[in-house]
Amino acid sequence: MTFLPRASALAAVLILGGAVLSGCADDAPDRPSGADFLPAPTTTATPADEGCGDVAAAVTKHLNSDDVDKVTVEGQCTTVVVGTVLADEDTATGQQLCDAAGEVAYTGDINSVRVLSKAGTELSNGITGMKCLP
């Protein structure tokens, strides 16, 4: 009876095992990745006519500013988002718009206001009963 040295036997097992495994991989069906189980991305913006009342219109009218680009309601009618044409550095104007929006925004389930720059950077945010923060 002939015995192979331990290293040679291990090498033979690894080579044969690798050949068997690689041969199976080509015949295996495609398996879904983890990303296939995730829900498709969606926007959280809720148009004013879908159950949030006329809060966005009221805020737009109240602000009456050329700096305001668009007012939307997000979440489950909980956050008013004021999109602006302001630069990322213009946090003082963003804070003023946020405070002004808060004067009429906090109705129903609305409990926060966010003001965004043209690039989408948050300039200011506020919650019910508090002054907005930059």
Side-chain angles (χ1 to χ4, degrees):
M1 191 183 232
T2 315
F3 292 100
L4 293 173
R6 189 177 243 169
S8 296
L10 181 59
V13 168
L14 289 175
I15 291 171
L16 290 174
V20 170
L21 289 177
S22 66
C24 294
D26 293 337
D27 297 333
D30 290 336
R31 298 202 189 273
S33 69
D36 294 330
F37 296 103
L38 298 175
T42 60
T43 179
T44 58
T46 305
D49 61 349
E50 290 189 20
C52 296
D54 59 355
V55 175
V59 170
T60 302
K61 183 178 179 182
H62 184 71
L63 293 178
N64 191 26
S65 171
D66 292 337
D67 291 331
V68 175
D69 182 44
K70 184 178 184 180
V71 177
T72 58
V73 180
E74 290 185 351
Q76 296 177 325
C77 301
T78 58
T79 303
V80 170
V81 179
V82 180
T84 70
V85 296
L86 299 173
D88 289 351
E89 301 80 31
D90 204 353
T91 56
T93 304
Q95 187 174 5
Q96 291 170 352
L97 288 171
C98 181
D99 285 331
E103 293 171 0
V104 297
Y106 299 123
T107 62
D109 291 335
I110 302 292
N111 59 24
S112 64
V113 173
R114 296 177 66 217
V115 177
L116 306 178
S117 71
K118 184 174 184 164
T121 302
E122 186 172 87
L123 298 175
S124 184
N125 64 54
I127 59 172
T128 306
M130 302 295 290
K131 289 282 189 185
C132 292
L133 301 173

